[in-house]
mmCIF file with all atom_site columns, all heavy atoms in Angstrom:
data_model
loop_
_atom_site.group_PDB
_atom_site.id
_atom_site.type_symbol
_atom_site.label_atom_id
_atom_site.label_alt_id
_atom_site.label_comp_id
_atom_site.label_asym_id
_atom_site.label_entity_id
_atom_site.label_seq_id
_atom_site.pdbx_PDB_ins_code
_atom_site.Cartn_x
_atom_site.Cartn_y
_atom_site.Cartn_z
_atom_site.occupancy
_atom_site.B_iso_or_equiv
_atom_site.pdbx_formal_charge
_atom_site.auth_seq_id
_atom_site.auth_comp_id
_atom_site.auth_asym_id
_atom_site.auth_atom_id
_atom_site.pdbx_PDB_model_num
ATOM 1  N N   . ARG A 1 138 ? -115.924 50.871 -7.013 1.00 0.00 ? 154 ARG A N   1
ATOM 2  C CA  . ARG A 1 138 ? -116.032 50.534 -5.597 1.00 0.00 ? 154 ARG A CA  1
ATOM 3  C C   . ARG A 1 138 ? -114.980 49.471 -5.286 1.00 0.00 ? 154 ARG A C   1
ATOM 4  O O   . ARG A 1 138 ? -114.474 48.765 -6.170 1.00 0.00 ? 154 ARG A O   1
ATOM 5  C CB  . ARG A 1 138 ? -117.417 50.021 -5.250 1.00 0.00 ? 154 ARG A CB  1
ATOM 6  C CG  . ARG A 1 138 ? -117.801 48.698 -5.891 1.00 0.00 ? 154 ARG A CG  1
ATOM 7  C CD  . ARG A 1 138 ? -119.202 48.271 -5.478 1.00 0.00 ? 154 ARG A CD  1
ATOM 8  N NE  . ARG A 1 138 ? -120.181 49.194 -6.032 1.00 0.00 ? 154 ARG A NE  1
ATOM 9  C CZ  . ARG A 1 138 ? -121.469 49.178 -5.726 1.00 0.00 ? 154 ARG A CZ  1
ATOM 10 N NH1 . ARG A 1 138 ? -121.908 48.293 -4.836 1.00 0.00 ? 154 ARG A NH1 1
ATOM 11 N NH2 . ARG A 1 138 ? -122.316 50.030 -6.269 1.00 0.00 ? 154 ARG A NH2 1
ATOM 12 N N   . LEU A 1 139 ? -114.633 49.370 -4.027 1.00 0.00 ? 155 LEU A N   1
ATOM 13 C CA  . LEU A 1 139 ? -113.714 48.347 -3.508 1.00 0.00 ? 155 LEU A CA  1
ATOM 14 C C   . LEU A 1 139 ? -114.562 47.300 -2.786 1.00 0.00 ? 155 LEU A C   1
ATOM 15 O O   . LEU A 1 139 ? -115.257 47.619 -1.824 1.00 0.00 ? 155 LEU A O   1
ATOM 16 C CB  . LEU A 1 139 ? -112.694 48.960 -2.538 1.00 0.00 ? 155 LEU A CB  1
ATOM 17 C CG  . LEU A 1 139 ? -111.745 47.957 -1.866 1.00 0.00 ? 155 LEU A CG  1
ATOM 18 C CD1 . LEU A 1 139 ? -110.869 47.266 -2.888 1.00 0.00 ? 155 LEU A CD1 1
ATOM 19 C CD2 . LEU A 1 139 ? -110.880 48.678 -0.823 1.00 0.00 ? 155 LEU A CD2 1
ATOM 20 N N   . VAL A 1 140 ? -114.496 46.067 -3.280 1.00 0.00 ? 156 VAL A N   1
ATOM 21 C CA  . VAL A 1 140 ? -115.320 44.993 -2.733 1.00 0.00 ? 156 VAL A CA  1
ATOM 22 C C   . VAL A 1 140 ? -114.437 44.068 -1.909 1.00 0.00 ? 156 VAL A C   1
ATOM 23 O O   . VAL A 1 140 ? -113.406 43.575 -2.399 1.00 0.00 ? 156 VAL A O   1
ATOM 24 C CB  . VAL A 1 140 ? -116.000 44.189 -3.856 1.00 0.00 ? 156 VAL A CB  1
ATOM 25 C CG1 . VAL A 1 140 ? -116.890 43.093 -3.273 1.00 0.00 ? 156 VAL A CG1 1
ATOM 26 C CG2 . VAL A 1 140 ? -116.800 45.125 -4.751 1.00 0.00 ? 156 VAL A CG2 1
ATOM 27 N N   . LYS A 1 141 ? -114.826 43.874 -0.636 1.00 0.00 ? 157 LYS A N   1
ATOM 28 C CA  . LYS A 1 141 ? -114.153 42.916 0.243  1.00 0.00 ? 157 LYS A CA  1
ATOM 29 C C   . LYS A 1 141 ? -114.875 41.578 0.103  1.00 0.00 ? 157 LYS A C   1
ATOM 30 O O   . LYS A 1 141 ? -116.029 41.439 0.514  1.00 0.00 ? 157 LYS A O   1
ATOM 31 C CB  . LYS A 1 141 ? -114.198 43.381 1.696  1.00 0.00 ? 157 LYS A CB  1
ATOM 32 C CG  . LYS A 1 141 ? -113.476 44.693 1.968  1.00 0.00 ? 157 LYS A CG  1
ATOM 33 C CD  . LYS A 1 141 ? -111.968 44.511 1.894  1.00 0.00 ? 157 LYS A CD  1
ATOM 34 C CE  . LYS A 1 141 ? -111.238 45.780 2.336  1.00 0.00 ? 157 LYS A CE  1
ATOM 35 N NZ  . LYS A 1 141 ? -109.789 45.600 2.355  1.00 0.00 ? 157 LYS A NZ  1
ATOM 36 N N   . VAL A 1 142 ? -114.177 40.602 -0.452 1.00 0.00 ? 158 VAL A N   1
ATOM 37 C CA  . VAL A 1 142 ? -114.759 39.270 -0.657 1.00 0.00 ? 158 VAL A CA  1
ATOM 38 C C   . VAL A 1 142 ? -114.164 38.327 0.372  1.00 0.00 ? 158 VAL A C   1
ATOM 39 O O   . VAL A 1 142 ? -112.938 38.190 0.462  1.00 0.00 ? 158 VAL A O   1
ATOM 40 C CB  . VAL A 1 142 ? -114.492 38.745 -2.082 1.00 0.00 ? 158 VAL A CB  1
ATOM 41 C CG1 . VAL A 1 142 ? -115.095 37.344 -2.250 1.00 0.00 ? 158 VAL A CG1 1
ATOM 42 C CG2 . VAL A 1 142 ? -115.051 39.701 -3.112 1.00 0.00 ? 158 VAL A CG2 1
ATOM 43 N N   . LYS A 1 143 ? -115.023 37.711 1.172  1.00 0.00 ? 159 LYS A N   1
ATOM 44 C CA  . LYS A 1 143 ? -114.580 36.713 2.148  1.00 0.00 ? 159 LYS A CA  1
ATOM 45 C C   . LYS A 1 143 ? -115.167 35.350 1.748  1.00 0.00 ? 159 LYS A C   1
ATOM 46 O O   . LYS A 1 143 ? -116.371 35.222 1.592  1.00 0.00 ? 159 LYS A O   1
ATOM 47 C CB  . LYS A 1 143 ? -115.057 37.086 3.548  1.00 0.00 ? 159 LYS A CB  1
ATOM 48 C CG  . LYS A 1 143 ? -114.409 38.367 4.081  1.00 0.00 ? 159 LYS A CG  1
ATOM 49 C CD  . LYS A 1 143 ? -114.894 38.670 5.488  1.00 0.00 ? 159 LYS A CD  1
ATOM 50 C CE  . LYS A 1 143 ? -114.239 39.946 6.012  1.00 0.00 ? 159 LYS A CE  1
ATOM 51 N NZ  . LYS A 1 143 ? -114.707 40.275 7.382  1.00 0.00 ? 159 LYS A NZ  1
ATOM 52 N N   . ILE A 1 144 ? -114.252 34.413 1.602  1.00 0.00 ? 160 ILE A N   1
ATOM 53 C CA  . ILE A 1 144 ? -114.645 33.056 1.196  1.00 0.00 ? 160 ILE A CA  1
ATOM 54 C C   . ILE A 1 144 ? -114.339 32.113 2.350  1.00 0.00 ? 160 ILE A C   1
ATOM 55 O O   . ILE A 1 144 ? -113.175 31.948 2.746  1.00 0.00 ? 160 ILE A O   1
ATOM 56 C CB  . ILE A 1 144 ? -113.903 32.596 -0.074 1.00 0.00 ? 160 ILE A CB  1
ATOM 57 C CG1 . ILE A 1 144 ? -114.124 33.594 -1.220 1.00 0.00 ? 160 ILE A CG1 1
ATOM 58 C CG2 . ILE A 1 144 ? -114.326 31.197 -0.491 1.00 0.00 ? 160 ILE A CG2 1
ATOM 59 C CD1 . ILE A 1 144 ? -113.312 33.297 -2.460 1.00 0.00 ? 160 ILE A CD1 1
ATOM 60 N N   . ALA A 1 145 ? -115.358 31.529 2.938  1.00 0.00 ? 161 ALA A N   1
ATOM 61 C CA  . ALA A 1 145 ? -115.193 30.586 4.041  1.00 0.00 ? 161 ALA A CA  1
ATOM 62 C C   . ALA A 1 145 ? -114.968 29.184 3.458  1.00 0.00 ? 161 ALA A C   1
ATOM 63 O O   . ALA A 1 145 ? -115.759 28.715 2.636  1.00 0.00 ? 161 ALA A O   1
ATOM 64 C CB  . ALA A 1 145 ? -116.412 30.603 4.949  1.00 0.00 ? 161 ALA A CB  1
ATOM 65 N N   . ILE A 1 146 ? -113.889 28.542 3.894  1.00 0.00 ? 162 ILE A N   1
ATOM 66 C CA  . ILE A 1 146 ? -113.544 27.201 3.418  1.00 0.00 ? 162 ILE A CA  1
ATOM 67 C C   . ILE A 1 146 ? -114.151 26.192 4.389  1.00 0.00 ? 162 ILE A C   1
ATOM 68 O O   . ILE A 1 146 ? -113.780 26.147 5.568  1.00 0.00 ? 162 ILE A O   1
ATOM 69 C CB  . ILE A 1 146 ? -112.025 27.019 3.327  1.00 0.00 ? 162 ILE A CB  1
ATOM 70 C CG1 . ILE A 1 146 ? -111.390 28.162 2.515  1.00 0.00 ? 162 ILE A CG1 1
ATOM 71 C CG2 . ILE A 1 146 ? -111.683 25.664 2.705  1.00 0.00 ? 162 ILE A CG2 1
ATOM 72 C CD1 . ILE A 1 146 ? -111.922 28.275 1.115  1.00 0.00 ? 162 ILE A CD1 1
ATOM 73 N N   . ARG A 1 147 ? -115.098 25.399 3.881  1.00 0.00 ? 163 ARG A N   1
ATOM 74 C CA  . ARG A 1 147 ? -115.739 24.394 4.726  1.00 0.00 ? 163 ARG A CA  1
ATOM 75 C C   . ARG A 1 147 ? -114.903 23.114 4.760  1.00 0.00 ? 163 ARG A C   1
ATOM 76 O O   . ARG A 1 147 ? -114.353 22.685 3.736  1.00 0.00 ? 163 ARG A O   1
ATOM 77 C CB  . ARG A 1 147 ? -117.145 24.072 4.206  1.00 0.00 ? 163 ARG A CB  1
ATOM 78 C CG  . ARG A 1 147 ? -118.128 25.223 4.348  1.00 0.00 ? 163 ARG A CG  1
ATOM 79 C CD  . ARG A 1 147 ? -119.545 24.747 4.064  1.00 0.00 ? 163 ARG A CD  1
ATOM 80 N NE  . ARG A 1 147 ? -119.708 24.273 2.707  1.00 0.00 ? 163 ARG A NE  1
ATOM 81 C CZ  . ARG A 1 147 ? -120.118 25.006 1.686  1.00 0.00 ? 163 ARG A CZ  1
ATOM 82 N NH1 . ARG A 1 147 ? -120.441 26.291 1.888  1.00 0.00 ? 163 ARG A NH1 1
ATOM 83 N NH2 . ARG A 1 147 ? -120.238 24.491 0.481  1.00 0.00 ? 163 ARG A NH2 1
ATOM 84 N N   . ASP A 1 148 ? -114.821 22.555 5.915  1.00 0.00 ? 164 ASP A N   1
ATOM 85 C CA  . ASP A 1 148 ? -114.043 21.335 6.114  1.00 0.00 ? 164 ASP A CA  1
ATOM 86 C C   . ASP A 1 148 ? -114.796 20.126 5.574  1.00 0.00 ? 164 ASP A C   1
ATOM 87 O O   . ASP A 1 148 ? -116.013 20.018 5.721  1.00 0.00 ? 164 ASP A O   1
ATOM 88 C CB  . ASP A 1 148 ? -113.737 21.135 7.603  1.00 0.00 ? 164 ASP A CB  1
ATOM 89 C CG  . ASP A 1 148 ? -112.858 19.915 7.823  1.00 0.00 ? 164 ASP A CG  1
ATOM 90 O OD1 . ASP A 1 148 ? -111.867 19.751 7.081  1.00 0.00 ? 164 ASP A OD1 1
ATOM 91 O OD2 . ASP A 1 148 ? -113.169 19.129 8.728  1.00 0.00 ? 164 ASP A OD2 1
#
Side-chain angles (χ1 to χ4, degrees):
R154 65 180 67 188
L155 176 64
V156 181
K157 297 288 187 176
V158 179
K159 294 181 180 180
I160 304 174
I162 308 301
R163 292 191 297 267
D164 183 45

